[in-house]
Amino acid sequence: FTYLVVDEGQRLKNHRCTLISSLKRIHSANRLLLSGTPIQNNLNELWSLLNFVNPSIFDDLSVFQSWFGFRDIGQKDKGGTEGDQIVLEQRQNNTVSKLHEILRPFLLRRIKRDVLSDMPPKKEIVVYSGMSKLQHGYMDLIEKGVLRDILLKQGIEQARNLSQTNKQMNQRKNANHPFLFGEPIDPASGIHLGTAHPQLLVRASGKFALLDRMLERLFHDKHQVLIFSQMTALLNIIEDYLLFRKWKYCRIDGSTKIDDRQRQMDVFNAEKTGGEGGTRNDSDDRHFVFLLSTRAGGLGINLATADTCIIFDSDWNPHQDSQ
């Protein structure tokens, strides 16, 4: 073949994967990778892509690493290079600039503003929310290291698997929703509290109380919304909330099968022409929300009919959120 074109090129970032070895068996004069996913601070992944595109130049990973002198940036457990060292290297030897110079002949970078001139600029708003009384109580218990014992005394069996060593992670969970540690049982009915009294599901978390007000307004104003979270357990709680509000929704996370992903995208995007006379469907039976886990994105997901995107909990790596 004259050309071999691989879409979703980031799948070739592992140079040991079966996909690469299979594709390398196809003889072609030219190879082209298409990808919209950023490289994650890893020279090995970058070399793997370059090696596939031009194996005659990028034929040895160790030589490639030696050009720049850093590896596994910020990953101390793997003997990775510290960020401060890279800044120092850049000042002394222009290392990062050299990397850019080497990449430039092999990379054609298209930015949205270059190809979509009619697209309005992205408007990004950071909204801060307070914490509920329950969250303030949990926050103190996490700091004291007694949250698991207290929850078990209250009969929340899910708390038995709770690890108290990583306080920072537990505080992140608490900031999202305290029911991530286990949901209390309603003594009157014997079922979960959020099911018996859905309003408590909202009031238990400051973020949910704010989200509730935002979604009410967005639904009334005929918007379609994407909600991203890193935690699939949190998506389960948001699902319970959406069922309480009787809003139709779709969901994709890492466990969703490819066929089901496409079916849900088709259903959600059909709202654009699903109304009377082929107009946008603004009635109450429309699919209003699409729930996604942050890491499930980046594999050909197209939800261009939505006009509002809510990132419920930000990723440590800002590239994940921008992606």
Side-chain angles (χ1 to χ4, degrees):
F1 296 97
T2 308
Y3 258 100
L4 172 62
V5 184
V6 183
D7 196 11
E8 302 299 342
Q10 72 278 358
R11 290 180 300 168
L12 305 183
K13 63 187 181 182
N14 179 1
H15 63 275
R16 297 186 186 91
C17 73
T18 314
L19 182 61
I20 277 198
S21 58
S22 303
L23 288 172
K24 280 183 174 178
R25 292 197 198 106
I26 301 172
H27 294 290
S28 60
N30 305 282
R31 289 175 179 173
L32 180 66
L33 293 183
L34 307 177
S35 176
T37 302
I39 299 289
Q40 296 289 340
N41 294 340
N42 192 316
L43 271 184
N44 299 24
E45 293 179 7
L46 176 59
W47 177 84
S48 180
L49 302 180
L50 291 170
N51 169 256
F52 180 78
V53 170
N54 202 323
S56 57
I57 295 179
F58 302 99
D59 59 340
D60 192 316
L61 174 57
S62 56
V63 171
F64 184 70
Q65 286 175 332
S66 70
W67 289 351
F68 308 109
F70 51 77
R71 56 193 300 158
D72 295 328
I73 300 161
Q75 298 184 35
K76 294 178 188 172
D77 55 329
K78 294 183 181 176
T81 310
E82 285 298 301
D84 295 343
Q85 285 176 257
I86 294 171
V87 174
L88 189 64
E89 274 280 318
Q90 170 65 7
R91 284 189 188 135
Q92 291 175 348
N93 305 319
N94 290 334
T95 310
V96 179
S97 304
K98 284 177 188 170
L99 178 57
H100 288 169
E101 287 296 320
I102 289 168
L103 286 181
R104 196 163 286 122
F106 302 97
L107 196 65
L108 177 65
R109 188 161 180 246
R110 296 201 313 168
I111 302 172
K112 274 200 184 91
R113 66 170 178 263
D114 299 334
V115 291
L116 288 173
S117 53
D118 57 337
M119 191 175 187
K122 181 173 69 174
K123 188 175 182 181
E124 195 170 319
I125 305 166
V126 179
V127 187
Y128 294 95
S129 67
M131 292 175 82
S132 66
K133 283 185 178 177
L134 182 62
Q135 284 173 306
H136 275 295
Y138 274 33
M139 183 173 72
D140 293 336
L141 295 173
I142 290 168
E143 284 306 310
K144 291 173 185 171
V146 295
L147 179 64
R148 181 172 55 202
D149 302 333
I150 299 293
L151 293 181
L152 286 171
K153 281 178 189 173
Q154 292 175 354
I156 300 175
E157 283 301 310
Q158 280 173 269
R160 202 169 291 283
N161 301 321
L162 172 63
S163 167
Q164 298 191 123
T165 51
N166 191 344
K167 288 183 180 179
Q168 191 177 46
M169 190 60 190
N170 286 339
Q171 292 292 18
R172 286 188 82 185
K173 286 184 179 178
N174 181 43
N176 284 335
H177 203 293
F179 287 2
L180 287 170
F181 300 110
E183 196 172 338
I185 302 292
D186 178 40
S189 59
I191 60 176
H192 284 116
L193 202 60
T195 309
H197 308 284
Q199 279 292 356
L200 290 178
L201 194 73
V202 177
R203 282 162 45 198
S205 162
K207 277 192 181 187
F208 264 67
L210 181 61
L211 180 72
D212 184 45
R213 286 163 53 201
M214 289 168 70
L215 289 181
E216 281 268 23
R217 176 69 182 270
L218 289 164
F219 184 79
H220 180 266
D221 292 345
K222 315 295 185 188
H223 293 273
Q224 270 185 289
V225 182
L226 311 181
I227 300 178
F228 286 88
S229 172
Q230 294 168 71
M231 303 178 185
T232 50
L234 183 68
L235 294 180
N236 297 340
I237 299 175
I238 299 176
E239 272 195 80
D240 290 342
Y241 160 75
L242 293 172
L243 291 168
F244 154 59
R245 285 291 181 203
K246 297 185 171 62
W247 287 327
K248 292 175 82 174
Y249 65 91
C250 300
R251 170 174 171 167
I252 286 178
D253 58 43
S255 63
T256 311
K257 292 185 172 67
I258 292 289
D259 292 347
D260 196 33
R261 285 161 73 112
Q262 191 57 52
R263 184 189 59 76
Q264 292 195 75
M265 282 188 272
D266 293 342
V267 165
F268 191 77
N269 288 331
E271 305 293 352
K272 193 168 186 178
T273 53
E276 203 171 311
T279 57
R280 181 181 278 278
N281 178 19
D282 289 333
S283 59
D284 285 357
D285 69 338
R286 70 187 187 273
H287 285 77
F288 168 49
V289 171
F290 206 119
L291 300 176
L292 302 107
S293 61
T294 313
R295 306 272 167 161
L299 274 175
I301 292 178
N302 183 349
L303 298 170
T305 48
D307 55 20
T308 306
C309 172
I310 296 173
I311 297 176
F312 195 88
D313 48 319
S314 296
D315 198 287
W316 293 132
N317 185 342
H319 265 304
Q320 286 291 349
D321 290 344
S322 60
Q323 164 70 6

